[in-house]
């Protein structure tokens, strides 16, 4: 069977279930802990913050497959299947014997993979009869995705947007408004936690951690609202597994077996989703594969953080999660790859990394933009800075193959487009790009403040 | 055979030829005239401005099918096939018995259909051994598309960008730079014609007509350069026929026959391409269909212009074309639907309109943005303002079907995405949208200045 240049599944071939990688992990990710008692969070405790069905998914370490509800499948059909593309032009440019594939999740108005979980979370909120949801957004992809999903299901949507992104990406706000969401720069004076952070750090440009605190406070203090999160959580990785399942169906159809799978990692939603079914095969001992998380050198939670219980948010109102973390009050340098500015990492990916099932590398920002531009010129797509971390690592891997002569099959996740990141591209063109990396002393100081559990 | 929600052709089903609608027109579009002698432009005269192969295509009124060169097919495979989508959610919202389909051309980094002709024109320039090309761009889609194509083939690319768009859409500049193009706001002091226009209209926000003059002057005064144009010309409609041919193959496969086909029309490249093979059937008497051009009320060349020979550019350096025109020095009000600000209309479409084969309507801008937002909320895609003219007309048609109970099949062209148009969306949200329409007196005054031929 001839392999097409771009593989699109037909509607009948598309995944009808999400895959829960926890079911195949012998050692499960550590449970979320109640920040007061340090005991595992119960479903009852979590249900004040999250929808009931999402709480169930969050805590379920055993069910391997979740059927995707018909309403969500209908929404998925609006922008899925996403193409699996053979990067012939990139291979030629790199003169590599490697075969490079990418799964492109940017062909929807949110501009990224985030829509996969947004629609699921909005659907369950609607099913539960809620009025609306609150959330945070970094670069804006998640907020846009959630706005689209809420508009579709007729839910109110309140978004706290990390201030640096709110200011650098004003157009993202307008897209969210097109879909009827309200958008507040974070930290803000609309919440107790926001006011406290502003008082302690008056000039702060914000962080995902702050914005999460504000969104959670708003959800629990408004009846009929729940909080939803675009990454980190087990439920999000479950929904995002649609990326990996779709990729695997496409690859299996043509007998393609990746030797290495690469994804950018901020909170871990894309990487966790992309690798899920392939990691399942590895965990079950059926087929081996390397997995590489790529994070920014400015926010290196896996490569330089510690594996410990920590707060998911700066305001310390959320449950504690065991994860690779830089400390919940670590505020990264204003890094234009906004979506990867999170201090921690998905507990699932953290545990897999701890078990040695997953590798991690960190890359400096300028090198990421160089890779982004090189990719754009040969493959046509203008990539998001976040996604470009994966491009950079995939190119490095392909160059190693050129040196060793190995004909590896490399798969990477191209999570989104960079149409809203042109301020960053402009800085790159003007030589104003910041390559700040935190010092060991800084990281040690943050780590010393981790909760003692 | 069940019809998928989105129809993607497989690579083997994709068009391998462009369709030249002129071959099926009994009365051909009027020839371009030499502005000095008023005699038809010869191939020799045109070859100073355009590549030789493109001159041939421009003048060829008889060849029905042009095989698409293999190198162009390879490039097309990077972003084609584009999906043909059934707008179920829009139908439901409008409670219409009509079946609405749209051909979505926005899923590539140029954000529009413009890439279809850009790659063809860059390819032929490269084949001829040229150093580079010059062009104008309005909203920036064409300039972006050409930059991408030139980057792929290793050609230099000089873009004159209408000043109002250059200022309102700074990010488009950066995209063009990612692909290595140089971008100059027009009118500029880099050309004689630009300096003249600036002297006569010091505060002008520019127009496509001005920018064309500057780009042509730069091409003819730099050895190894030729000028390329993103719309209006016969050659461009030929390349854009890939949209219509692809649509027709998809529709024929599933036995779908459109009753009405709707497209926005500035210079006519998208509409001309989309309708081409369907118009061919009508011209040959094989199957009837209605065709509707939708233009902005602020720049109504078909609905309020005159059918006469006119200059294609403000500086009057280009050949004369017979077309529906508002006059070559008509400068439309600063209208955010930048791509539809052209004073004239493709000679092919003008002749078809004159023969009564094509209808035209004009729509005011606020109504267009209302339609755009309604569409975005139910169909997910954030449309370009240009494309939203077609959405508005398609919605109006579907609403009429609701009233009459007719189950018409409506097809419209969704030419691009609005990610770079959020300044306009912001104005719309803030009630600052301009609905200026030129008065009859203004139009009469412009028409009085048309060349006497």
């Amino acid at each position: 069977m001839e392999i097409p240049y771009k593989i699109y599944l037909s509607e009948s071939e598309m995944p009808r279930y999400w895959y829960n990688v926890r079911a195949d992990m012998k050692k499960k990710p550590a449970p979320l802990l109640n920040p007061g008692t340090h005991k595992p969070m119960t479903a009852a405790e979590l249900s004040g913050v999250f929808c009931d069905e999402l709480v169930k998914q969050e805590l379920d370490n055993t069910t391997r497959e979740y059927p995707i509800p018909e309403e969500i499948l209908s929404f998925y059909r609006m922008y899925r299947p996403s193409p699996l593309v053979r990067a012939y032009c990139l291979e030629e440019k790199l003169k590599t014997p490697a075969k490079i594939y990418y799964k492109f999740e940017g062909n929807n108005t949110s501009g990224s993979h985030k829509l996969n979980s947004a629609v699921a979370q909005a659907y369950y909120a609607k099913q539960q009869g809620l009025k609306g949801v609150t959330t945070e957004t970094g670069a804006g992809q998640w907020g846009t995705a959630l706005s689209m999903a809420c508009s579709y299901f007729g839910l109110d949507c309140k978004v706290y947007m990390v201030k640096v992104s709110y200011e650098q990406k004003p157009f993202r706000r307008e897209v969210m408004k097109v879909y009827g969401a309200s958008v507040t720069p974070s930290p803000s004076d609309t919440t107790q936690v926001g006011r406290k952070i502003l008082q302690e750090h008056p000039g702060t440009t914000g962080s995902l951690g702050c914005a999460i605190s504000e969104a959670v406070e708003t959800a629990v203090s408004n009846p009929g609202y729940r909080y939803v999160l675009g990454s980190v959580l087990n439920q999000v990785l479950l929904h995002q597994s649609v990326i990996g399942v779709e990729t695997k169906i496409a690859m299996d159809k043509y007998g393609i077996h990746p030797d290495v799978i690469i994804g950018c990692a901020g909170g871990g939603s894309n990487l966790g989703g992309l690798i899920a079914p392939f990691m399942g095969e590895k965990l079950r001992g059926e087929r081996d594969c390397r997995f590489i998380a790529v994070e920014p050198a400015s926010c290196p939670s896996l490569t330089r953080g510690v594996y410990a219980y920590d707060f998911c948010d700066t305001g310390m109102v959320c449950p504690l999660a065991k994860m690779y973390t830089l400390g919940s009050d670590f505020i990264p340098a204003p890094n234009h790859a906004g979506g990867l500015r999170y201090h921690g990492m998905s507990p699932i990916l953290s545990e897999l990394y701890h078990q040695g099932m997953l590798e991690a590398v960190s890359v400096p920002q300028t090198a990421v933009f160089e890779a982004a531009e090189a990719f754009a010129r040969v493959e046509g797509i203008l990539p998001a800075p976040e996604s470009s971390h994966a491009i950079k690592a995939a190119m490095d891997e392909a160059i190693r193959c050129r040196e060793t002569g190995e004909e590896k099959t490399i798969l990477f996740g191209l999570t989104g487009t960079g149409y809203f990141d042109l301020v960053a591209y402009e800085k790159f063109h003007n030589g104003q790009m910041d390559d700040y990396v935190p010092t060991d002393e800084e990281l040690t100081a943050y780590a010393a403040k981790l909760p003692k559990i």
Side-chain angles (χ1 to χ4, degrees), chain A residues 21 24 28 42 49 67 110 112 122 125 165 180 215 220 230 237 259 271 290 336 341 345 356 360 376 382 388 437:
Chain A
V21 74
D24 285 312
K28 309 294 182 190
T42 62
V49 180
S110 80
S112 82
S165 297
V220 299
L237 267 70
D259 297 301
L271 180 69
R290 285 175 62 209
H336 304 290
R341 288 162 53 84
M345 182 57 67
L382 183 78
S388 304
V437 173

Side-chain angles (χ1 to χ4, degrees), chain A residues 305-383:
Chain A
V306 292
Y307 191 36
Y309 267 104
D310 193 10
F311 290 95
C312 293
D313 62 323
T314 311
M316 305 182 184
V317 301
C318 289
L320 293 157
K322 189 170 179 190
M323 56 186 176
Y324 278 85
T325 179
L326 299 165
S328 69
D329 58 0
F330 176 83
I331 294 189
N335 182 318
H336 304 290
L340 307 178
R341 288 162 53 84
Y342 187 63
H343 68 273
M345 182 57 67
S346 139
I348 292 175
L349 292 184
S350 292
E351 178 55 31
L352 289 168
Y353 182 63
H354 189 65
Q355 292 176 18
M357 303 297 284
L358 170 68
E359 304 164 42
V361 295
S362 78
V363 286
Q365 188 162 229
T366 305
V368 166
F369 275 81
E370 282 164 4
E373 190 159 288
F375 178 84
R377 289 190 180 190
V378 293
E379 291 289 323
I381 297 167
L382 183 78

Side-chain angles (χ1 to χ4, degrees), chain A residues 170-183:
Chain A
F171 292 171
R172 285 275 187 202
R173 293 201 300 260
E174 289 307 316
V175 182
M176 292 186 245
K177 280 190 198 167
V178 167
Y179 293 97
S182 71
V183 190

Side-chain angles (χ1 to χ4, degrees), chain A residues 186-187 193 197 204 206-215 313-315 328 331:
Chain A
S186 168
V193 64
I197 292 169
T204 180
S207 70
L208 276 178
C210 300
I212 293 173
S213 301
E214 293 202 81
D313 62 323
T314 311
S328 69
I331 294 189

Side-chain angles (χ1 to χ4, degrees), chain A residues 261-279:
Chain A
I261 305 181
I262 297 171
C264 64
S269 69
N270 146 66
L271 180 69
L274 175 65
I275 68 176
F278 300 96
M279 181 63 85

Side-chain angles (χ1 to χ4, degrees), chain A residues 109-110 135-151 155-162 165-166 169-185 420:
Chain A
T109 288
S110 80
T135 199
E136 81 299 330
T137 195
Q141 284 99 332
W142 168 247
T144 307
L146 190 68
S147 305
M148 291 173 67
C150 286
S151 162
L155 281 171
D156 185 38
C157 181
K158 296 183 195 297
V159 181
Y160 287 89
M161 186 169 185
V162 177
S165 297
Y166 186 90
K169 303 184 177 183
F171 292 171
R172 285 275 187 202
R173 293 201 300 260
E174 289 307 316
V175 182
M176 292 186 245
K177 280 190 198 167
V178 167
Y179 293 97
S182 71
V183 190
T184 309
F420 292 97

Side-chain angles (χ1 to χ4, degrees), chain A residues 187-189 192-204:
Chain A
S188 77
D189 61 4
Q192 283 184 18
V193 64
R195 288 189 291 271
K196 183 159 172 286
I197 292 169
L198 279 174
Q199 208 167 23
E200 290 169 8
H201 306 275
T204 180

